[in-house]
Amino acid sequence: MSELNHIALNILKKGKGILAADESTGTMTKRLDAVRIVSNPENRLLFREILFSSTSMSECIGGVILYDETIKQKTSKNISVPELISSMGSYPGIKVDTGAKNLAGSPEEKITEGLDGLRERLKEYYKLGAKFTKWRGVYSISKNFPSKLSIETNAHALARYASLVQENNMVPIVEPEVLMDGEHSAKDCLLKTSEVIKKCFDQLIFHKVDLKGVILKPNMILAGNKSQEKIPGEEVAKLTLDCLKNSVPSEIPGIAFLSGGQSEVEATENLHLINKFNDTNFIMSYSYGRALQQSALKFWAKDTKNIDGTQEIFNHRAKMNTLAAQGKWSKEIEN
Ligand code: 13P
């Protein structure tokens, strides 16, 4: 087994998932503004350090995705954030794209940037302790979107990224996110997501990426958030499995879903149902941002001294998702 395959499997073993704590400063400021906490480097670290020191880190969280600011910060115990995460039995990772910009040629769509100077940044992150990385391509669905241009260009960027990451001995998380915003049906989401994922793998293979050392981070198949269509969780699970069976090569060691704006419990229940019906050999786990942190952040903002209470809420979400990643979650356990 290659070293990268070993890391990918370790991150996702026994129902473990990934904590996506890689909000850029802009996004984190929005999250903190919403709960009336001043967004400065100290407060951003304070909340994150509480999560990274929680007991569920060792049982449930196989990896944590960090942002550039956080990977360079020192904790209250005067060790680096990656050292804290490693000491809890988890792998530190890093978001390396520099964000989605308007796509020239189709300016209502986005292209993710960050390839210039990436090799040098990767070497620096590796020295700081990163074992894996993330790059997110983003696609919206409407009558004419995602366009061929957006699908091709984002796949090309994701493949160039993944290839550079493996050259620097880290596991690339490949995240093509088809957004849930819009009026589209679940069937549209299935068709578009399948097309996007297939194109990503065509490019990954063309760029000679070792698929055994990659984690795929896709969206689940959902109806648009402005659609009249309401499909039950069982249907979400079946459509999501159909999509992945038809678009993901068997070499991929694991799939870790993004939550994408689903509520915490919805994201957990859908993951549980996907695992309940999972008739593939893929590990199906989570790489959640909002769906792991939302309640903990709200609670902390009301009483920032209550570290135990904040950790208890985070531990519960992490445990529920780790049960879901094994198809062992239920509403009774949730409550
Ligand atoms: P959400 O789970 O909040 O969608 O975030 C995951 C992520 O990393 C998006 O890039």
Side-chain angles (χ1 to χ4, degrees), residues 20-23 31 65 95 97 134 136 175 177 217 257-262 287-293:
D22 60 325
E23 299 85 358
R31 305 263 190 272
I65 318 174
K95 183 229 300 285
D97 66 67
K134 182 190 108 170
R136 171 175 175 261
E175 181 182 13
E177 176 175 7
K217 175 164 174 167
F257 294 97
L258 59 97
S259 62
Q262 299 179 71
S287 175
Y288 291 165
R290 285 162 286 180
L292 272 172
Q293 303 181 72

mmCIF file with all atom_site columns, all heavy atoms in Angstrom, residues 20-23 31 65 95 97 134 136 175 177 217 257-262 287-293, ligand 1:
data_model
loop_
_atom_site.group_PDB
_atom_site.id
_atom_site.type_symbol
_atom_site.label_atom_id
_atom_site.label_alt_id
_atom_site.label_comp_id
_atom_site.label_asym_id
_atom_site.label_entity_id
_atom_site.label_seq_id
_atom_site.pdbx_PDB_ins_code
_atom_site.Cartn_x
_atom_site.Cartn_y
_atom_site.Cartn_z
_atom_site.occupancy
_atom_site.B_iso_or_equiv
_atom_site.pdbx_formal_charge
_atom_site.auth_seq_id
_atom_site.auth_comp_id
_atom_site.auth_asym_id
_atom_site.auth_atom_id
_atom_site.pdbx_PDB_model_num
ATOM   1   N N   . ALA A 1 20  ? -14.088 20.227 8.537  1.00 0.00 ? 20  ALA A N   1
ATOM   2   C CA  . ALA A 1 20  ? -13.668 21.288 7.609  1.00 0.00 ? 20  ALA A CA  1
ATOM   3   C C   . ALA A 1 20  ? -13.705 22.619 8.359  1.00 0.00 ? 20  ALA A C   1
ATOM   4   O O   . ALA A 1 20  ? -14.735 23.287 8.418  1.00 0.00 ? 20  ALA A O   1
ATOM   5   C CB  . ALA A 1 20  ? -14.574 21.310 6.377  1.00 0.00 ? 20  ALA A CB  1
ATOM   6   N N   . ALA A 1 21  ? -12.574 22.960 8.961  1.00 0.00 ? 21  ALA A N   1
ATOM   7   C CA  . ALA A 1 21  ? -12.464 24.215 9.715  1.00 0.00 ? 21  ALA A CA  1
ATOM   8   C C   . ALA A 1 21  ? -11.591 25.188 8.926  1.00 0.00 ? 21  ALA A C   1
ATOM   9   O O   . ALA A 1 21  ? -10.792 25.929 9.490  1.00 0.00 ? 21  ALA A O   1
ATOM   10  C CB  . ALA A 1 21  ? -11.867 23.943 11.090 1.00 0.00 ? 21  ALA A CB  1
ATOM   11  N N   . ASP A 1 22  ? -11.765 25.151 7.604  1.00 0.00 ? 22  ASP A N   1
ATOM   12  C CA  . ASP A 1 22  ? -10.871 25.914 6.723  1.00 0.00 ? 22  ASP A CA  1
ATOM   13  C C   . ASP A 1 22  ? -11.540 27.160 6.164  1.00 0.00 ? 22  ASP A C   1
ATOM   14  O O   . ASP A 1 22  ? -11.183 27.645 5.087  1.00 0.00 ? 22  ASP A O   1
ATOM   15  C CB  . ASP A 1 22  ? -10.405 25.026 5.567  1.00 0.00 ? 22  ASP A CB  1
ATOM   16  C CG  . ASP A 1 22  ? -11.569 24.511 4.716  1.00 0.00 ? 22  ASP A CG  1
ATOM   17  O OD1 . ASP A 1 22  ? -12.651 24.245 5.281  1.00 0.00 ? 22  ASP A OD1 1
ATOM   18  O OD2 . ASP A 1 22  ? -11.415 24.382 3.493  1.00 0.00 ? 22  ASP A OD2 1
ATOM   19  N N   . GLU A 1 23  ? -12.524 27.690 6.904  1.00 0.00 ? 23  GLU A N   1
ATOM   20  C CA  . GLU A 1 23  ? -13.171 28.916 6.438  1.00 0.00 ? 23  GLU A CA  1
ATOM   21  C C   . GLU A 1 23  ? -12.095 29.989 6.259  1.00 0.00 ? 23  GLU A C   1
ATOM   22  O O   . GLU A 1 23  ? -11.255 30.193 7.133  1.00 0.00 ? 23  GLU A O   1
ATOM   23  C CB  . GLU A 1 23  ? -14.205 29.412 7.458  1.00 0.00 ? 23  GLU A CB  1
ATOM   24  C CG  . GLU A 1 23  ? -15.355 28.454 7.747  1.00 0.00 ? 23  GLU A CG  1
ATOM   25  C CD  . GLU A 1 23  ? -15.035 27.408 8.814  1.00 0.00 ? 23  GLU A CD  1
ATOM   26  O OE1 . GLU A 1 23  ? -13.889 27.400 9.315  1.00 0.00 ? 23  GLU A OE1 1
ATOM   27  O OE2 . GLU A 1 23  ? -15.927 26.608 9.125  1.00 0.00 ? 23  GLU A OE2 1
ATOM   28  N N   . ARG A 1 31  ? -19.399 34.181 9.730  1.00 0.00 ? 31  ARG A N   1
ATOM   29  C CA  . ARG A 1 31  ? -19.926 33.256 10.747 1.00 0.00 ? 31  ARG A CA  1
ATOM   30  C C   . ARG A 1 31  ? -19.876 33.898 12.138 1.00 0.00 ? 31  ARG A C   1
ATOM   31  O O   . ARG A 1 31  ? -20.800 33.754 12.927 1.00 0.00 ? 31  ARG A O   1
ATOM   32  C CB  . ARG A 1 31  ? -19.115 31.963 10.782 1.00 0.00 ? 31  ARG A CB  1
ATOM   33  C CG  . ARG A 1 31  ? -18.995 31.237 9.453  1.00 0.00 ? 31  ARG A CG  1
ATOM   34  C CD  . ARG A 1 31  ? -20.004 30.115 9.314  1.00 0.00 ? 31  ARG A CD  1
ATOM   35  N NE  . ARG A 1 31  ? -19.694 29.310 8.138  1.00 0.00 ? 31  ARG A NE  1
ATOM   36  C CZ  . ARG A 1 31  ? -20.143 29.565 6.896  1.00 0.00 ? 31  ARG A CZ  1
ATOM   37  N NH1 . ARG A 1 31  ? -20.947 30.577 6.656  1.00 0.00 ? 31  ARG A NH1 1
ATOM   38  N NH2 . ARG A 1 31  ? -19.805 28.771 5.888  1.00 0.00 ? 31  ARG A NH2 1
ATOM   39  N N   . ILE A 1 65  ? -9.284  20.102 8.260  1.00 0.00 ? 65  ILE A N   1
ATOM   40  C CA  . ILE A 1 65  ? -8.791  21.008 7.211  1.00 0.00 ? 65  ILE A CA  1
ATOM   41  C C   . ILE A 1 65  ? -8.656  22.409 7.812  1.00 0.00 ? 65  ILE A C   1
ATOM   42  O O   . ILE A 1 65  ? -9.611  22.931 8.408  1.00 0.00 ? 65  ILE A O   1
ATOM   43  C CB  . ILE A 1 65  ? -9.729  21.079 5.994  1.00 0.00 ? 65  ILE A CB  1
ATOM   44  C CG1 . ILE A 1 65  ? -10.260 19.691 5.613  1.00 0.00 ? 65  ILE A CG1 1
ATOM   45  C CG2 . ILE A 1 65  ? -9.000  21.728 4.808  1.00 0.00 ? 65  ILE A CG2 1
ATOM   46  C CD1 . ILE A 1 65  ? -11.315 19.729 4.500  1.00 0.00 ? 65  ILE A CD1 1
ATOM   47  N N   . LYS A 1 95  ? -6.393  23.870 3.320  1.00 0.00 ? 95  LYS A N   1
ATOM   48  C CA  . LYS A 1 95  ? -7.022  24.342 2.082  1.00 0.00 ? 95  LYS A CA  1
ATOM   49  C C   . LYS A 1 95  ? -5.972  25.140 1.306  1.00 0.00 ? 95  LYS A C   1
ATOM   50  O O   . LYS A 1 95  ? -5.350  26.052 1.850  1.00 0.00 ? 95  LYS A O   1
ATOM   51  C CB  . LYS A 1 95  ? -8.200  25.264 2.428  1.00 0.00 ? 95  LYS A CB  1
ATOM   52  C CG  . LYS A 1 95  ? -8.968  25.743 1.201  1.00 0.00 ? 95  LYS A CG  1
ATOM   53  C CD  . LYS A 1 95  ? -9.226  27.224 1.144  1.00 0.00 ? 95  LYS A CD  1
ATOM   54  C CE  . LYS A 1 95  ? -10.008 27.820 2.248  1.00 0.00 ? 95  LYS A CE  1
ATOM   55  N NZ  . LYS A 1 95  ? -11.416 27.542 2.182  1.00 0.00 ? 95  LYS A NZ  1
ATOM   56  N N   . ASP A 1 97  ? -6.499  26.207 -2.197 1.00 0.00 ? 97  ASP A N   1
ATOM   57  C CA  . ASP A 1 97  ? -6.944  27.103 -3.268 1.00 0.00 ? 97  ASP A CA  1
ATOM   58  C C   . ASP A 1 97  ? -7.085  28.507 -2.691 1.00 0.00 ? 97  ASP A C   1
ATOM   59  O O   . ASP A 1 97  ? -7.127  28.690 -1.473 1.00 0.00 ? 97  ASP A O   1
ATOM   60  C CB  . ASP A 1 97  ? -8.259  26.597 -3.905 1.00 0.00 ? 97  ASP A CB  1
ATOM   61  C CG  . ASP A 1 97  ? -9.439  26.646 -2.950 1.00 0.00 ? 97  ASP A CG  1
ATOM   62  O OD1 . ASP A 1 97  ? -9.855  27.753 -2.571 1.00 0.00 ? 97  ASP A OD1 1
ATOM   63  O OD2 . ASP A 1 97  ? -9.949  25.561 -2.585 1.00 0.00 ? 97  ASP A OD2 1
ATOM   64  N N   . LYS A 1 134 ? -6.865  20.467 0.496  1.00 0.00 ? 134 LYS A N   1
ATOM   65  C CA  . LYS A 1 134 ? -8.184  20.576 -0.146 1.00 0.00 ? 134 LYS A CA  1
ATOM   66  C C   . LYS A 1 134 ? -8.211  21.674 -1.195 1.00 0.00 ? 134 LYS A C   1
ATOM   67  O O   . LYS A 1 134 ? -7.564  22.706 -1.026 1.00 0.00 ? 134 LYS A O   1
ATOM   68  C CB  . LYS A 1 134 ? -9.248  20.886 0.915  1.00 0.00 ? 134 LYS A CB  1
ATOM   69  C CG  . LYS A 1 134 ? -10.656 20.965 0.334  1.00 0.00 ? 134 LYS A CG  1
ATOM   70  C CD  . LYS A 1 134 ? -11.657 21.512 1.332  1.00 0.00 ? 134 LYS A CD  1
ATOM   71  C CE  . LYS A 1 134 ? -12.069 22.904 0.930  1.00 0.00 ? 134 LYS A CE  1
ATOM   72  N NZ  . LYS A 1 134 ? -13.211 23.422 1.715  1.00 0.00 ? 134 LYS A NZ  1
ATOM   73  N N   . ARG A 1 136 ? -11.399 23.363 -3.728 1.00 0.00 ? 136 ARG A N   1
ATOM   74  C CA  . ARG A 1 136 ? -12.842 23.289 -4.032 1.00 0.00 ? 136 ARG A CA  1
ATOM   75  C C   . ARG A 1 136 ? -13.141 23.978 -5.355 1.00 0.00 ? 136 ARG A C   1
ATOM   76  O O   . ARG A 1 136 ? -12.825 25.157 -5.526 1.00 0.00 ? 136 ARG A O   1
ATOM   77  C CB  . ARG A 1 136 ? -13.609 23.971 -2.905 1.00 0.00 ? 136 ARG A CB  1
ATOM   78  C CG  . ARG A 1 136 ? -15.086 24.189 -3.135 1.00 0.00 ? 136 ARG A CG  1
ATOM   79  C CD  . ARG A 1 136 ? -15.698 24.768 -1.863 1.00 0.00 ? 136 ARG A CD  1
ATOM   80  N NE  . ARG A 1 136 ? -17.088 25.128 -1.998 1.00 0.00 ? 136 ARG A NE  1
ATOM   81  C CZ  . ARG A 1 136 ? -17.518 26.374 -2.217 1.00 0.00 ? 136 ARG A CZ  1
ATOM   82  N NH1 . ARG A 1 136 ? -16.664 27.377 -2.322 1.00 0.00 ? 136 ARG A NH1 1
ATOM   83  N NH2 . ARG A 1 136 ? -18.813 26.618 -2.313 1.00 0.00 ? 136 ARG A NH2 1
ATOM   84  N N   . GLU A 1 175 ? -12.556 18.419 -4.405 1.00 0.00 ? 175 GLU A N   1
ATOM   85  C CA  . GLU A 1 175 ? -13.918 18.826 -4.039 1.00 0.00 ? 175 GLU A CA  1
ATOM   86  C C   . GLU A 1 175 ? -14.602 19.580 -5.174 1.00 0.00 ? 175 GLU A C   1
ATOM   87  O O   . GLU A 1 175 ? -14.454 20.793 -5.308 1.00 0.00 ? 175 GLU A O   1
ATOM   88  C CB  . GLU A 1 175 ? -13.898 19.720 -2.784 1.00 0.00 ? 175 GLU A CB  1
ATOM   89  C CG  . GLU A 1 175 ? -15.311 20.148 -2.368 1.00 0.00 ? 175 GLU A CG  1
ATOM   90  C CD  . GLU A 1 175 ? -15.358 21.080 -1.155 1.00 0.00 ? 175 GLU A CD  1
ATOM   91  O OE1 . GLU A 1 175 ? -14.305 21.608 -0.749 1.00 0.00 ? 175 GLU A OE1 1
ATOM   92  O OE2 . GLU A 1 175 ? -16.460 21.286 -0.631 1.00 0.00 ? 175 GLU A OE2 1
ATOM   93  N N   . GLU A 1 177 ? -17.902 20.964 -5.960 1.00 0.00 ? 177 GLU A N   1
ATOM   94  C CA  . GLU A 1 177 ? -19.186 21.186 -5.283 1.00 0.00 ? 177 GLU A CA  1
ATOM   95  C C   . GLU A 1 177 ? -20.223 21.762 -6.233 1.00 0.00 ? 177 GLU A C   1
ATOM   96  O O   . GLU A 1 177 ? -20.119 22.911 -6.659 1.00 0.00 ? 177 GLU A O   1
ATOM   97  C CB  . GLU A 1 177 ? -19.039 22.135 -4.078 1.00 0.00 ? 177 GLU A CB  1
ATOM   98  C CG  . GLU A 1 177 ? -20.413 22.431 -3.455 1.00 0.00 ? 177 GLU A CG  1
ATOM   99  C CD  . GLU A 1 177 ? -20.408 23.262 -2.167 1.00 0.00 ? 177 GLU A CD  1
ATOM   100 O OE1 . GLU A 1 177 ? -19.326 23.752 -1.765 1.00 0.00 ? 177 GLU A OE1 1
ATOM   101 O OE2 . GLU A 1 177 ? -21.499 23.407 -1.580 1.00 0.00 ? 177 GLU A OE2 1
ATOM   102 N N   . LYS A 1 217 ? -14.472 14.662 -2.408 1.00 0.00 ? 217 LYS A N   1
ATOM   103 C CA  . LYS A 1 217 ? -15.431 15.362 -1.531 1.00 0.00 ? 217 LYS A CA  1
ATOM   104 C C   . LYS A 1 217 ? -16.557 15.927 -2.383 1.00 0.00 ? 217 LYS A C   1
ATOM   105 O O   . LYS A 1 217 ? -16.468 17.041 -2.901 1.00 0.00 ? 217 LYS A O   1
ATOM   106 C CB  . LYS A 1 217 ? -14.697 16.473 -0.776 1.00 0.00 ? 217 LYS A CB  1
ATOM   107 C CG  . LYS A 1 217 ? -15.602 17.349 0.087  1.00 0.00 ? 217 LYS A CG  1
ATOM   108 C CD  . LYS A 1 217 ? -14.812 18.156 1.100  1.00 0.00 ? 217 LYS A CD  1
ATOM   109 C CE  . LYS A 1 217 ? -15.712 19.130 1.842  1.00 0.00 ? 217 LYS A CE  1
ATOM   110 N NZ  . LYS A 1 217 ? -15.077 19.704 3.031  1.00 0.00 ? 217 LYS A NZ  1
ATOM   111 N N   . PHE A 1 257 ? -18.416 13.471 2.111  1.00 0.00 ? 257 PHE A N   1
ATOM   112 C CA  . PHE A 1 257 ? -19.361 14.476 1.606  1.00 0.00 ? 257 PHE A CA  1
ATOM   113 C C   . PHE A 1 257 ? -19.189 15.822 2.303  1.00 0.00 ? 257 PHE A C   1
ATOM   114 O O   . PHE A 1 257 ? -18.851 15.885 3.490  1.00 0.00 ? 257 PHE A O   1
ATOM   115 C CB  . PHE A 1 257 ? -20.800 14.006 1.834  1.00 0.00 ? 257 PHE A CB  1
ATOM   116 C CG  . PHE A 1 257 ? -21.151 12.795 1.026  1.00 0.00 ? 257 PHE A CG  1
ATOM   117 C CD1 . PHE A 1 257 ? -21.090 11.532 1.590  1.00 0.00 ? 257 PHE A CD1 1
ATOM   118 C CD2 . PHE A 1 257 ? -21.512 12.911 -0.305 1.00 0.00 ? 257 PHE A CD2 1
ATOM   119 C CE1 . PHE A 1 257 ? -21.388 10.397 0.845  1.00 0.00 ? 257 PHE A CE1 1
ATOM   120 C CE2 . PHE A 1 257 ? -21.817 11.792 -1.065 1.00 0.00 ? 257 PHE A CE2 1
ATOM   121 C CZ  . PHE A 1 257 ? -21.753 10.523 -0.490 1.00 0.00 ? 257 PHE A CZ  1
ATOM   122 N N   . LEU A 1 258 ? -19.508 16.887 1.564  1.00 0.00 ? 258 LEU A N   1
ATOM   123 C CA  . LEU A 1 258 ? -19.657 18.213 2.169  1.00 0.00 ? 258 LEU A CA  1
ATOM   124 C C   . LEU A 1 258 ? -21.103 18.333 2.628  1.00 0.00 ? 258 LEU A C   1
ATOM   125 O O   . LEU A 1 258 ? -21.978 17.600 2.150  1.00 0.00 ? 258 LEU A O   1
ATOM   126 C CB  . LEU A 1 258 ? -19.307 19.287 1.138  1.00 0.00 ? 258 LEU A CB  1
ATOM   127 C CG  . LEU A 1 258 ? -20.131 19.309 -0.150 1.00 0.00 ? 258 LEU A CG  1
ATOM   128 C CD1 . LEU A 1 258 ? -21.253 20.317 -0.102 1.00 0.00 ? 258 LEU A CD1 1
ATOM   129 C CD2 . LEU A 1 258 ? -19.243 19.574 -1.343 1.00 0.00 ? 258 LEU A CD2 1
ATOM   130 N N   . SER A 1 259 ? -21.384 19.263 3.561  1.00 0.00 ? 259 SER A N   1
ATOM   131 C CA  . SER A 1 259 ? -22.781 19.395 4.005  1.00 0.00 ? 259 SER A CA  1
ATOM   132 C C   . SER A 1 259 ? -23.534 20.417 3.170  1.00 0.00 ? 259 SER A C   1
ATOM   133 O O   . SER A 1 259 ? -24.757 20.293 3.002  1.00 0.00 ? 259 SER A O   1
ATOM   134 C CB  . SER A 1 259 ? -22.869 19.687 5.503  1.00 0.00 ? 259 SER A CB  1
ATOM   135 O OG  . SER A 1 259 ? -22.251 20.901 5.860  1.00 0.00 ? 259 SER A OG  1
ATOM   136 N N   . GLY A 1 260 ? -22.862 21.432 2.676  1.00 0.00 ? 260 GLY A N   1
ATOM   137 C CA  . GLY A 1 260 ? -23.427 22.293 1.625  1.00 0.00 ? 260 GLY A CA  1
ATOM   138 C C   . GLY A 1 260 ? -24.639 23.132 1.968  1.00 0.00 ? 260 GLY A C   1
ATOM   139 O O   . GLY A 1 260 ? -25.342 23.563 1.061  1.00 0.00 ? 260 GLY A O   1
ATOM   140 N N   . GLY A 1 261 ? -24.940 23.322 3.245  1.00 0.00 ? 261 GLY A N   1
ATOM   141 C CA  . GLY A 1 261 ? -26.102 24.128 3.619  1.00 0.00 ? 261 GLY A CA  1
ATOM   142 C C   . GLY A 1 261 ? -27.260 23.298 4.165  1.00 0.00 ? 261 GLY A C   1
ATOM   143 O O   . GLY A 1 261 ? -28.315 23.834 4.503  1.00 0.00 ? 261 GLY A O   1
ATOM   144 N N   . GLN A 1 262 ? -27.076 21.979 4.240  1.00 0.00 ? 262 GLN A N   1
ATOM   145 C CA  . GLN A 1 262 ? -28.091 21.146 4.910  1.00 0.00 ? 262 GLN A CA  1
ATOM   146 C C   . GLN A 1 262 ? -28.032 21.447 6.408  1.00 0.00 ? 262 GLN A C   1
ATOM   147 O O   . GLN A 1 262 ? -26.985 21.848 6.929  1.00 0.00 ? 262 GLN A O   1
ATOM   148 C CB  . GLN A 1 262 ? -27.778 19.656 4.729  1.00 0.00 ? 262 GLN A CB  1
ATOM   149 C CG  . GLN A 1 262 ? -27.765 19.177 3.296  1.00 0.00 ? 262 GLN A CG  1
ATOM   150 C CD  . GLN A 1 262 ? -27.428 17.678 3.212  1.00 0.00 ? 262 GLN A CD  1
ATOM   151 O OE1 . GLN A 1 262 ? -28.221 16.835 3.583  1.00 0.00 ? 262 GLN A OE1 1
ATOM   152 N NE2 . GLN A 1 262 ? -26.249 17.370 2.724  1.00 0.00 ? 262 GLN A NE2 1
ATOM   153 N N   . SER A 1 287 ? -17.114 15.267 5.498  1.00 0.00 ? 287 SER A N   1
ATOM   154 C CA  . SER A 1 287 ? -16.114 16.326 5.623  1.00 0.00 ? 287 SER A CA  1
ATOM   155 C C   . SER A 1 287 ? -16.912 17.608 5.773  1.00 0.00 ? 287 SER A C   1
ATOM   156 O O   . SER A 1 287 ? -17.059 18.384 4.832  1.00 0.00 ? 287 SER A O   1
ATOM   157 C CB  . SER A 1 287 ? -15.218 16.365 4.381  1.00 0.00 ? 287 SER A CB  1
ATOM   158 O OG  . SER A 1 287 ? -14.336 17.468 4.465  1.00 0.00 ? 287 SER A OG  1
ATOM   159 N N   . TYR A 1 288 ? -17.498 17.763 6.954  1.00 0.00 ? 288 TYR A N   1
ATOM   160 C CA  . TYR A 1 288 ? -18.471 18.832 7.156  1.00 0.00 ? 288 TYR A CA  1
ATOM   161 C C   . TYR A 1 288 ? -17.850 20.061 7.812  1.00 0.00 ? 288 TYR A C   1
ATOM   162 O O   . TYR A 1 288 ? -16.990 19.956 8.687  1.00 0.00 ? 288 TYR A O   1
ATOM   163 C CB  . TYR A 1 288 ? -19.606 18.337 8.065  1.00 0.00 ? 288 TYR A CB  1
ATOM   164 C CG  . TYR A 1 288 ? -20.527 17.294 7.452  1.00 0.00 ? 288 TYR A CG  1
ATOM   165 C CD1 . TYR A 1 288 ? -21.399 16.553 8.274  1.00 0.00 ? 288 TYR A CD1 1
ATOM   166 C CD2 . TYR A 1 288 ? -20.553 17.046 6.075  1.00 0.00 ? 288 TYR A CD2 1
ATOM   167 C CE1 . TYR A 1 288 ? -22.262 15.601 7.742  1.00 0.00 ? 288 TYR A CE1 1
ATOM   168 C CE2 . TYR A 1 288 ? -21.419 16.092 5.544  1.00 0.00 ? 288 TYR A CE2 1
ATOM   169 C CZ  . TYR A 1 288 ? -22.269 15.371 6.383  1.00 0.00 ? 288 TYR A CZ  1
ATOM   170 O OH  . TYR A 1 288 ? -23.123 14.426 5.860  1.00 0.00 ? 288 TYR A OH  1
ATOM   171 N N   . GLY A 1 289 ? -18.323 21.215 7.365  1.00 0.00 ? 289 GLY A N   1
ATOM   172 C CA  . GLY A 1 289 ? -17.974 22.481 7.998  1.00 0.00 ? 289 GLY A CA  1
ATOM   173 C C   . GLY A 1 289 ? -19.125 22.908 8.888  1.00 0.00 ? 289 GLY A C   1
ATOM   174 O O   . GLY A 1 289 ? -19.161 22.635 10.094 1.00 0.00 ? 289 GLY A O   1
ATOM   175 N N   . ARG A 1 290 ? -20.140 23.522 8.247  1.00 0.00 ? 290 ARG A N   1
ATOM   176 C CA  . ARG A 1 290 ? -21.282 24.033 9.012  1.00 0.00 ? 290 ARG A CA  1
ATOM   177 C C   . ARG A 1 290 ? -21.995 22.943 9.809  1.00 0.00 ? 290 ARG A C   1
ATOM   178 O O   . ARG A 1 290 ? -22.392 23.163 10.945 1.00 0.00 ? 290 ARG A O   1
ATOM   179 C CB  . ARG A 1 290 ? -22.271 24.718 8.059  1.00 0.00 ? 290 ARG A CB  1
ATOM   180 C CG  . ARG A 1 290 ? -21.804 26.058 7.591  1.00 0.00 ? 290 ARG A CG  1
ATOM   181 C CD  . ARG A 1 290 ? -22.537 26.511 6.354  1.00 0.00 ? 290 ARG A CD  1
ATOM   182 N NE  . ARG A 1 290 ? -22.100 25.799 5.148  1.00 0.00 ? 290 ARG A NE  1
ATOM   183 C CZ  . ARG A 1 290 ? -22.578 25.994 3.922  1.00 0.00 ? 290 ARG A CZ  1
ATOM   184 N NH1 . ARG A 1 290 ? -23.542 26.890 3.744  1.00 0.00 ? 290 ARG A NH1 1
ATOM   185 N NH2 . ARG A 1 290 ? -22.121 25.332 2.895  1.00 0.00 ? 290 ARG A NH2 1
ATOM   186 N N   . ALA A 1 291 ? -22.186 21.768 9.219  1.00 0.00 ? 291 ALA A N   1
ATOM   187 C CA  . ALA A 1 291 ? -22.977 20.728 9.885  1.00 0.00 ? 291 ALA A CA  1
ATOM   188 C C   . ALA A 1 291 ? -22.262 20.109 11.089 1.00 0.00 ? 291 ALA A C   1
ATOM   189 O O   . ALA A 1 291 ? -22.854 19.327 11.831 1.00 0.00 ? 291 ALA A O   1
ATOM   190 C CB  . ALA A 1 291 ? -23.373 19.638 8.880  1.00 0.00 ? 291 ALA A CB  1
ATOM   191 N N   . LEU A 1 292 ? -20.995 20.461 11.299 1.00 0.00 ? 292 LEU A N   1
ATOM   192 C CA  . LEU A 1 292 ? -20.305 20.008 12.520 1.00 0.00 ? 292 LEU A CA  1
ATOM   193 C C   . LEU A 1 292 ? -20.156 21.134 13.540 1.00 0.00 ? 292 LEU A C   1
ATOM   194 O O   . LEU A 1 292 ? -19.970 20.884 14.727 1.00 0.00 ? 292 LEU A O   1
ATOM   195 C CB  . LEU A 1 292 ? -18.901 19.495 12.177 1.00 0.00 ? 292 LEU A CB  1
ATOM   196 C CG  . LEU A 1 292 ? -18.713 18.029 11.799 1.00 0.00 ? 292 LEU A CG  1
ATOM   197 C CD1 . LEU A 1 292 ? -17.286 17.803 11.311 1.00 0.00 ? 292 LEU A CD1 1
ATOM   198 C CD2 . LEU A 1 292 ? -19.016 17.085 12.964 1.00 0.00 ? 292 LEU A CD2 1
ATOM   199 N N   . GLN A 1 293 ? -20.191 22.380 13.069 1.00 0.00 ? 293 GLN A N   1
ATOM   200 C CA  . GLN A 1 293 ? -19.778 23.480 13.934 1.00 0.00 ? 293 GLN A CA  1
ATOM   201 C C   . GLN A 1 293 ? -20.890 24.439 14.351 1.00 0.00 ? 293 GLN A C   1
ATOM   202 O O   . GLN A 1 293 ? -20.728 25.175 15.331 1.00 0.00 ? 293 GLN A O   1
ATOM   203 C CB  . GLN A 1 293 ? -18.710 24.334 13.225 1.00 0.00 ? 293 GLN A CB  1
ATOM   204 C CG  . GLN A 1 293 ? -17.477 23.565 12.795 1.00 0.00 ? 293 GLN A CG  1
ATOM   205 C CD  . GLN A 1 293 ? -16.459 24.483 12.135 1.00 0.00 ? 293 GLN A CD  1
ATOM   206 O OE1 . GLN A 1 293 ? -15.817 25.280 12.805 1.00 0.00 ? 293 GLN A OE1 1
ATOM   207 N NE2 . GLN A 1 293 ? -16.325 24.397 10.824 1.00 0.00 ? 293 GLN A NE2 1
HETATM 208 P P1  . 13P B 2 .   ? -19.864 22.653 4.463  1.00 0.00 ? 1   13P B P1  1
HETATM 209 O O1  . 13P B 2 .   ? -19.951 21.292 5.079  1.00 0.00 ? 1   13P B O1  1
HETATM 210 O O2  . 13P B 2 .   ? -20.290 23.755 5.394  1.00 0.00 ? 1   13P B O2  1
HETATM 211 O O3  . 13P B 2 .   ? -20.527 22.719 3.122  1.00 0.00 ? 1   13P B O3  1
HETATM 212 O O4  . 13P B 2 .   ? -18.334 22.967 4.218  1.00 0.00 ? 1   13P B O4  1
HETATM 213 C C1  . 13P B 2 .   ? -17.551 21.992 3.661  1.00 0.00 ? 1   13P B C1  1
HETATM 214 C C2  . 13P B 2 .   ? -16.477 22.609 2.892  1.00 0.00 ? 1   13P B C2  1
HETATM 215 O O5  . 13P B 2 .   ? -15.324 22.379 3.148  1.00 0.00 ? 1   13P B O5  1
HETATM 216 C C3  . 13P B 2 .   ? -16.828 23.481 1.767  1.00 0.00 ? 1   13P B C3  1
HETATM 217 O O6  . 13P B 2 .   ? -15.685 23.727 0.994  1.00 0.00 ? 1   13P B O6  1
#
